Amino acid sequence: MGSGIGPPPGAAIIGAGATEQGEIPGESPEVIAVRAAVAALEDAGIDKSAVDGLITCKAPLTAHGTDEGMGPLLGINPDYSTTLDYGMAGFSLHLAAMAIRSGLASTVLLTYGTNARSARIGFSRPIGGSAQWAALTGFLHVAGPAAMAARRHMHLYGTTEEQLGWVSVAQREWAALNPRAVFRSPMGIGDYLAQPYVVEPLRRADLTVISDGGAAFVVTSSQRAADLHAKPVHLLGMAQRSAIRNEQNEDKLMRPWLGSIAGQVYRNAGLGPDDMDLAYLQDGTSVWVLQMLEWYGFCGLGEAGPFLAEGHTRPGGRLPVNTHGGQLSESYTHNWMHLYEAVAQLRGEAGDRQVPGAEVALHAQTHDFWKGAATILSTRSAV
């Protein structure tokens, strides 16, 4: 069974900030994260002296971004502070909510920054339960096991490369409306299919952007949120599940444990997939989106291929997915920018890509084959 917290988690986002995304030469991850934090505090309308909790996320494959490194730059001594080694946005957000519920802090600042693109940090490393065995099989990048997962889906359900391609094409269409996006040039399904394979059947457009950038959020209790911000975004439900046995898990490539996270987060929020106006799905590869559409109940098992090809996730579709372009087209920030976009959309602040009437969003996070987290967000404090 998946674990969960709720209902309701009793926490809300009152501030969101982001830097430019792409390449930011000459700035460390910490400086980028501080700039995002300043923007989030300004958005929340509070001074840094009001912050009594700090959660930071280390930049990928570096020692940068710890709370002890960030404290002097921010000039704060919060009562509670910590750093997540792989602090993707979903896990960091849940930790903030737990700190608030436990009384360890009342107003928590979450911040993340990376300079992976300008520092030319490579992401070729073994993926798997045992690094040495993964390296022997050639799995030096997530593209390898993701390609196997795609082939498995194609074998079981008849999914085609063209259907998979609609993940990347749809997100590029959204990115074209996003000034922050790294990749904004038009890409149709024909352009996608014309790209050479990186690891068959995956092409470059199926794999994440490497980028610099930062994002930050201010989280407080739902009770205080209404007094501090005109339009807080409430956490209606949270859930997590680990799969850290990795290769010992049955059908590892298909990640069936995502289904238990989905069931738990929907129960905690008292909602279901049909209630979601928006979905923000971790997309280190396009294959993760394919899988998560099914496990989170937006279509039946094995039906994501036709669902994508019918255009449901594209601008104007009935389930807008990753409306900023996601990690395939906007930037690579461990789902931090997914959360930033969710907040912007729910507040009605997304500009040309605004989805009319959006009130409820799913933010679903995974760390490849290891763990996952999900949050249901809304400007409504109760449903």
Side-chain angles (χ1 to χ4, degrees), residues 329-367:
S329 282
E330 188 207 40
S331 62
Y332 179 58
T333 53
H334 290 330
N335 262 37
W336 286 79
M337 290 302 291
H338 289 62
L339 184 57
Y340 181 84
E341 175 74 4
V343 170
Q345 286 279 353
L346 292 172
R347 289 178 175 176
E349 300 170 353
D352 291 343
R353 62 189 184 279
Q354 180 64 50
V355 175
E359 292 187 328
V360 184
L362 170 71
H363 181 271
Q365 182 88 63
T366 64
H367 179 192

Side-chain angles (χ1 to χ4, degrees), residues 85-154:
D85 188 62
Y86 205 82
M88 304 169 95
F91 302 113
S92 297
L93 182 62
H94 289 186
L95 187 58
M98 288 187 280
I100 290 165
R101 292 188 71 184
S102 68
L104 289 173
S106 63
T107 304
V108 182
L109 174 64
L110 319 177
T111 190
Y112 168 77
T114 179
N115 66 349
R117 190 179 184 93
S118 60
R120 304 296 186 260
I121 295 174
F123 282 79
S124 292
R125 59 176 175 170
I127 298 293
S130 174
Q132 62 269 36
W133 291 113
L136 285 172
T137 57
F139 285 172
L140 299 175
H141 188 278
V142 72
M148 290 186 66
R151 281 295 189 218
R152 177 71 171 155
H153 201 278
M154 292 172 178

Side-chain angles (χ1 to χ4, degrees), residues 149-161 163-164 251 254-256 287-310 312:
R151 281 295 189 218
R152 177 71 171 155
H153 201 278
M154 292 172 178
H155 171 75
L156 289 174
Y157 305 119
T159 309
T160 67
E161 293 182 21
Q163 289 172 338
L164 176 64
D251 210 358
M254 302 302 284
R255 307 191 300 173
V287 188
W288 299 166
V289 176
L290 182 83
Q291 292 179 341
M292 294 167 82
L293 286 170
E294 296 177 356
W295 292 122
Y296 279 89
F298 297 115
C299 58
L301 197 61
E303 296 177 359
F307 183 87
L308 288 159
E310 290 164 6
H312 298 301

Side-chain angles (χ1 to χ4, degrees), residues 28-55:
S28 69
E30 289 89 351
V31 169
I32 295 170
V34 166
R35 288 204 291 115
V38 169
L41 290 168
E42 289 177 351
D43 181 59
I46 63 173
D47 186 77
K48 65 182 182 181
S49 61
V51 171
D52 58 2
L54 173 66
I55 297 173

Side-chain angles (χ1 to χ4, degrees), residues 5-13 90 93-94 97 222 233-240 261-280 296 298 339 342-343 346 359-365 373-383:
I5 299 173
I13 297 169
L93 182 62
H94 289 186
S222 295
V233 173
H234 299 273
L235 283 63
L236 299 185
M238 302 188 295
Q240 290 190 23
I261 302 176
Q264 188 71 55
V265 78
Y266 290 142
R267 285 192 295 274
N268 286 347
L271 297 169
D274 290 342
D275 297 305
M276 300 301 108
D277 300 314
L278 306 158
Y280 295 91
Y296 279 89
F298 297 115
L339 184 57
V343 170
L346 292 172
E359 292 187 328
V360 184
L362 170 71
H363 181 271
Q365 182 88 63
T375 314
I376 292 178
L377 304 158
S378 179
T379 48
R380 305 197 304 254
S381 59
V383 177

